[in-house]
């Protein structure tokens, strides 16, 4: 490949990456605005929303896994110019997403106190979190439709449109949160419940916009009828490749939620509140590298679908260089934000001490997360290789990370910061296996079919 071709791949990656960066930045801005605004309401509201949001994180992992299945298949079929297959894949994913988001929404509406009790014994946090979960239940169902449609748009290269829809929802979410948290313009002052109402309203309107965009689209439309169209070959492929991705992301999300259980049950409310700010900082620090991973997966999928294997392999190498660069930048962002967050956070002195150390740990932790996410969720899945990542992450998180967290907190009763340090070693433990699998090129496969039913 000549030098010009290499430059074109960098350019294509960045062209896809920039809208995703904007989208992820605004998504993180919503979370940060919640923390900022609830900071003025009280530490209990911050802690309750932080714990309740773990369920949204688990649902996000499920939907992200389903969206990955859409991207794996649709990007390659779009590379073959087969739009019918793209619509069929979207329909298959919608079936699964509506079931999952419906179950989460029903649980949040009917059993919110039970859901909160899994994370904390504090009755104040349980009551605040239960009100939040009841109000946000409708957003879960909308989310299930939105994420599948936007994943389909991204897989065919319409990243800017998908990002524009998310941008509208995120900006509206921030504005509505402010209105309902503080009681602006005559609205009731609702605190944590105001966050849930603002999120639900913005998701409903985003879903409406998706339907409007779909009606005007010349390529991919959001058709619920596709969810009832059974294509056995494609469904078999989707389940074979998407199911490991869903299980991978869900397993990882549940394991990461176990870290919150450890913090909430064994390390105290100061650690819970400090972790809310540390998680926020980590989210900003990983925006660049996670965006590159998403964009690179789309590009690699299209190249593989066109059977341009040599170019896909070299594009993967370029993607890794960008990931390492942006991982280092992300760590610098967290360090730069440290004095600002310490001055702003309305925490106890103990909480601020915890936050200072947690931010330092996260400044290097993002590099581990960046490399693993790019390879497992971007490069490997572009070639339909989702099973390997599922096995790797499950062994790492449930065989190493979660047991170590409970051991250090509940059995050895180490100081909180040592427990947190050990929890943040999970990404680096799997580096040797992840990098070795990447170098083997076993992930580089065309997964499309020549003929469908």
């Amino acid at each position: 490949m000549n030098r010009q071709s290499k430059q074109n791949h960098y350019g294509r990656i960045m062209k896809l990456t920039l809208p995703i960066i904007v989208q992820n930045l605004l998504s993180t801005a919503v979370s940060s605005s919640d923390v900022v605004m609830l900071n003025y309401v009280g530490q209990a509201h911050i802690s309750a929303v932080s714990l309740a949001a773990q369920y949204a994180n688990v649902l996000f992992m499920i939907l992200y896994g389903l969206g990955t299945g859409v991207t794996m298949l649709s990007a390659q079929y779009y590379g073959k110019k087969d739009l019918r297959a793209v619509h069929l894949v979207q329909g298959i994913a919608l079936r699964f997403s509506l079931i999952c988001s419906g179950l989460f929404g029903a649980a949040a509406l009917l059993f919110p106190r039970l859901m909160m009790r899994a994370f904390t014994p504090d009755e104040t946090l349980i009551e605040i979190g239960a009100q939040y979960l009841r109000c946000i239940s409708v957003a879960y169902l909308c989310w299930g439709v939105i994420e599948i449609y936007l994943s389909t748009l991204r897989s065919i290269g319409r990243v800017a449109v998908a990002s524009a829809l998310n941008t509208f929802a995120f900006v509206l979410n921030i504005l509505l949160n402010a209105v309902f948290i503080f009681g602006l313009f005559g609205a009731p002052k609702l605190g944590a419940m105001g966050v849930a109402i603002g999120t639900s309203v913005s998701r409903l309107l985003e879903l409406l916009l998706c339907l409007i965009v779909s009606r005007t689209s010349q390529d991919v439309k959001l058709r619920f009828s596709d969810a009832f169209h059974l294509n056995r070959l494609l469904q078999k492929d989707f389940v074979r490749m998407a199911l490991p991705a869903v299980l991978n992301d869900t397993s990882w999300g549940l394991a990461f939620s176990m870290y919150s259980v450890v913090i909430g049950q064994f390390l105290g409310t100061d650690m819970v509140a400090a972790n809310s700010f540390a998680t926020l900082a980590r989210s900003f620090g990983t925006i660049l590298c996670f965006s590159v991973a998403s964009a690179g997966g789309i590009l690699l999928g299209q190249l593989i679908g066109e059977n341009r294997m040599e170019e896909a392999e070299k594009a993967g190498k370029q993607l890794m260089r960008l990931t390492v660069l942006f991982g280092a930048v992300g760590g610098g962002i967290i360090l730069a934000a440290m004095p600002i967050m310490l001055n702003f956070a309305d925490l106890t002195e103990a909480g601020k001490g915890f936050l200072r150390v947690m931010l330092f740990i996260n400044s290097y932790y993002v590099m581990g997360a960046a490399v693993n996410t790019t390879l497992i969720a971007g490069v490997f899945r572009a070639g339909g290789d989702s099973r390997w990542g599922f096995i790797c992450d499950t062994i790492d998180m449930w065989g190493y990370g979660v047991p170590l967290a409970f051991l250090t907190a509940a059995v050895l009763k180490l100081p909180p910061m040592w427990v947190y340090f050990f929890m943040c070693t999970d990404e680096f433990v799997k580096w040797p296996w992840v990098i070795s699998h990447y170098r083997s090129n076993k992930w580089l496969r065309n997964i499309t079919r020549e003929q469908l039913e």
Side-chain angles (χ1 to χ4, degrees):
M1 181 184 295
N2 59 36
R3 182 178 180 184
Q4 184 62 40
S5 298
K6 289 187 178 183
Q7 290 174 342
N8 287 342
H9 282 313
Y10 279 120
R12 290 180 67 184
I13 292 172
M14 292 310 300
K15 183 179 179 180
L16 291 168
T17 298
L18 290 176
I20 298 176
I21 289 175
V22 173
Q23 173 189 326
N24 290 344
L25 182 63
L26 286 168
S27 176
T28 306
V30 172
S31 301
S32 63
S33 69
D34 293 347
V35 174
V36 168
M37 288 185 272
L38 289 173
N39 186 60
Y40 292 101
V41 178
Q43 181 170 306
H45 284 256
I46 295 175
S47 299
V49 170
S50 172
L51 293 175
Q54 295 304 313
Y55 288 102
N57 291 341
V58 174
L59 178 59
F60 170 76
M61 291 300 169
I62 295 173
L63 296 178
Y64 182 78
L66 289 172
T68 297
V70 172
T71 301
M72 280 193 291
L73 284 164
S74 295
Q76 290 204 18
Y77 275 112
Y78 185 71
K80 289 184 64 174
K81 312 301 180 188
D82 189 346
L83 283 178
R84 174 175 172 266
V86 172
H87 276 108
L88 291 174
V89 169
Q90 178 182 247
I92 294 167
L94 273 176
R95 281 203 297 273
F96 290 108
S97 69
L98 287 172
I99 292 171
C100 294
S101 57
L103 289 174
F104 269 82
L109 182 63
L110 300 174
F111 313 110
R113 293 184 64 84
L114 184 62
M115 293 169 74
M116 284 300 299
R117 203 171 292 280
F119 287 104
T120 178
D122 190 309
E123 285 298 326
T124 300
L125 298 187
I126 289 173
E127 182 58 34
I128 295 171
Q131 293 177 356
Y132 170 90
L133 285 169
R134 285 193 195 97
C135 291
I136 206 169
S137 58
V138 67
Y140 291 163
L141 191 58
C142 297
W143 201 6
V145 179
I146 292 167
E147 286 305 309
I148 298 305
Y149 183 57
L150 297 190
S151 294
T152 307
L153 288 178
R154 294 187 197 104
S155 70
I156 66 170
R158 296 189 65 189
V159 177
V161 176
S163 297
L165 290 169
N166 269 161
T167 297
F168 166 81
F170 293 148
V171 172
L172 181 63
N173 198 168
I174 293 172
L175 295 176
L176 290 177
N177 284 358
V179 169
F180 290 114
I181 289 174
F182 300 117
L184 305 178
F185 310 115
K189 188 176 181 179
L190 300 174
M193 194 163 64
V195 176
I197 293 175
T199 300
S200 295
V201 172
S202 63
R203 287 292 179 183
L204 280 166
L205 292 176
E206 184 180 11
L207 177 57
L208 178 61
L209 276 180
C210 285
L211 293 172
I212 293 172
V213 169
S214 171
R215 289 183 64 87
T216 61
S217 174
Q218 298 299 314
D219 35 46
V220 175
K221 296 184 180 294
L222 177 57
R223 299 189 302 225
F224 290 95
S225 59
D226 287 334
F228 300 98
H229 188 105
L230 181 61
N231 184 289
R232 290 181 178 82
L233 288 176
L234 268 181
Q235 179 155 305
K236 180 181 177 181
D237 288 343
F238 185 87
V239 171
R240 179 169 55 86
M241 284 172 273
L243 185 59
V246 172
L247 293 175
N248 185 179
D249 294 331
T250 304
S251 173
W252 187 91
L254 286 171
F256 217 78
S257 294
M258 287 299 102
Y259 290 166
S260 294
V261 171
V262 170
I263 293 172
Q265 296 285 2
F266 301 108
L267 304 185
T269 56
D270 285 332
M271 273 292 289
V272 171
N275 187 51
S276 300
F277 286 95
T279 301
L280 175 62
R282 182 170 64 239
S283 296
F284 274 108
T286 54
I287 284 174
L288 292 174
C289 43
F290 284 11
S291 299
V292 166
S294 298
I298 295 168
L299 174 61
L300 289 176
Q302 292 179 359
L303 289 173
I304 294 170
E306 296 169 7
N307 274 322
R308 296 159 64 186
M309 297 301 185
E310 184 179 349
E311 288 191 46
E313 180 183 352
K314 293 184 177 180
K317 293 178 181 178
Q318 295 163 32
L319 181 62
M320 279 304 300
R321 295 188 192 105
L322 289 174
T323 298
V324 172
L325 171 63
F326 288 156
V329 171
I333 290 173
I334 292 175
L335 290 176
M338 185 184 296
I340 300 172
M341 297 194 78
L342 290 172
N343 288 331
F344 170 78
D346 184 18
L347 301 175
T348 63
E349 283 304 311
K352 288 190 176 183
F354 291 149
L355 179 58
R356 182 179 292 105
V357 179
M358 292 164 90
L359 290 174
F360 175 76
I361 290 173
N362 276 284
S363 69
Y364 64 80
Y365 182 73
V366 296
M367 181 62 79
V371 171
N372 289 327
T373 299
T374 296
L375 291 177
I376 292 175
V379 174
F380 298 165
R381 293 183 186 179
D385 187 1
S386 55
R387 183 172 174 270
W388 190 92
F390 165 55
I391 295 172
C392 178
D393 273 341
T394 300
I395 293 174
D396 176 60
M397 295 300 285
W398 292 101
Y400 172 80
V402 173
L404 184 62
F406 278 98
L407 175 67
T408 54
V411 180
L412 299 179
K413 299 186 185 300
L414 296 182
M417 281 298 90
W418 278 106
V419 176
Y420 189 81
F421 168 78
F422 283 115
M423 286 194 297
C424 291
T425 59
D426 57 354
E427 294 288 355
F428 297 101
V429 167
K430 60 187 176 187
W431 261 17
W433 290 273
V434 173
I435 294 173
S436 175
H437 188 67
Y438 162 68
R439 289 176 175 169
S440 74
N441 281 343
K442 293 179 181 178
W443 52 271
L444 198 60
R445 296 178 297 140
N446 188 322
I447 55 176
T448 60
R449 293 181 181 271
E450 292 302 320
Q451 291 184 335
L452 296 173
E453 296 172 353

